[in-house]
Amino acid sequence: GQQVMQIPQYQHVQEGEDFTTYCNSSTTLSNIQWYKQRPGGHPVFLIQLVKSGEVKKQKRLTFQFGEAKKNSSLHITATQTTDVGTYFCAGPRNAGNMLTFGGGTRLMVKP
Amino acid sequence: NAGVTQTPKFRILKIGQSMTLQCTQDMNHNYMYWYRQDPGMGLKLIYYSVGAGITDKGEVPNGYNVSRSTTEDFPLRLELAAPSQTSVYFCASKGQGVNQPQHFGDGTRLSIL
């Protein structure tokens, strides 16, 4: 079945450093979604990418969808303590009615 | 709008007890999901529903049951609770359409002792 892998599993950064998490799918995706889960919280939808090679920005966050639509990345420029949390990518399956979530990347930021 | 509401927020059960985790959404979403998240891990799908009266198993359905009698409600039943079911349980819903995001409730933190 479809598998979605994320690396790294954990990342410690100093505040102000950049951060990147990578997402790889075993199958071609029609789209990819990114979610953020703050410590003790629930996943919250951040963004969706649909087109091959698409790049979207949200302030300091840059999301990319690979040309082959099998991988994606999230890059945070100049991390802040408010960026702390776990970032999940998710790919659709079952005609888009379900999501396969990656294992997540937990970001910790030292002030 | 409240979105997705889960109750209770916390619960401690003894081994062998049963309970129902409640989930309700006010967005008129057809699709609803139950996930479990073990400490430091990702989300595993337990059951899902594509509409009232229709449910289906996800990746880890053993030990759980669901029902969907209305569009709004999607309760998850644990029968004969076991320590392996200690986890955080999230309910989510999604509107019609392939590209719709999932909206999550705050979760229920369940410990089985």
Side-chain angles (χ1 to χ4, degrees):
Chain A
Q2 180 191 64
Q3 291 188 353
V4 177
M5 309 295 290
Q6 275 185 262
I7 55 169
Q9 191 173 1
Y10 304 95
Q11 183 89 57
H12 292 256
V13 299
Q14 197 72 38
E15 188 172 21
E17 291 182 339
D18 291 357
F19 159 78
T20 304
T21 173
Y22 300 92
C23 177
N24 292 287
S25 170
S26 59
T27 59
T28 302
L29 301 171
S30 60
N31 66 77
I32 192 154
Q33 298 180 8
W34 285 91
Y35 292 77
K36 176 183 179 181
Q37 183 179 24
R38 295 182 185 276
H42 59 274
V44 175
F45 173 76
L46 292 176
I47 206 164
Q48 179 176 251
L49 304 170
V50 178
K51 299 177 184 177
S52 170
E54 188 171 13
V55 178
K56 285 187 175 180
K57 292 190 176 184
Q58 288 181 349
K59 296 183 180 178
R60 294 177 294 102
L61 277 62
T62 302
F63 303 84
Q64 290 189 327
F65 200 11
E67 294 290 340
K69 302 184 77 172
K70 293 183 73 174
N71 56 68
S72 181
S73 65
L74 158 59
H75 179 82
I76 302 179
T77 304
T79 55
Q80 299 176 358
T81 55
T82 53
D83 296 324
V84 164
T86 301
Y87 293 85
F88 293 98
C89 63
R93 69 178 194 271
N94 193 14
N97 295 324
M98 296 160 62
L99 289 173
T100 300
F101 282 86
T105 296
R106 183 179 173 189
L107 172 63
M108 289 156 279
V109 180
K110 302 174 200 175
Chain B
N1 285 349
V4 179
T5 302
Q6 291 184 239
T7 57
K9 293 192 184 304
F10 305 93
R11 184 74 184 267
I12 298 174
L13 282 182
K14 293 182 179 179
I15 295 171
Q17 286 185 322
S18 60
M19 77 164 292
T20 300
L21 281 65
Q22 301 292 344
C23 175
T24 187
Q25 51 92 9
D26 62 0
M27 297 174 281
N28 200 33
H29 285 170
N30 285 332
Y31 300 92
M32 295 188 74
Y33 311 86
W34 274 106
Y35 296 91
R36 62 175 287 174
Q37 185 177 37
D38 297 332
M41 304 296 283
L43 298 162
K44 295 181 182 177
L45 183 65
I46 305 171
Y47 270 95
Y48 69 100
S49 170
V50 300
I54 306 170
T55 63
D56 208 346
K57 296 177 180 178
E59 305 161 72
V60 289
N62 291 344
Y64 307 94
N65 276 301
V66 293
S67 60
R68 184 94 183 271
S69 56
T70 67
T71 299
E72 294 78 18
D73 300 307
F74 190 39
L76 177 71
R77 177 87 177 157
L78 276 73
E79 304 283 2
L80 297 175
S84 61
Q85 293 177 306
T86 293
S87 191
V88 180
Y89 291 84
F90 289 104
C91 178
S93 73
K94 182 183 85 70
Q96 199 74 25
V98 172
N99 295 338
Q100 295 301 308
Q102 292 189 12
H103 301 263
F104 286 80
D106 289 340
T108 294
R109 283 150 183 79
L110 181 62
S111 294
I112 316 294
L113 304 176

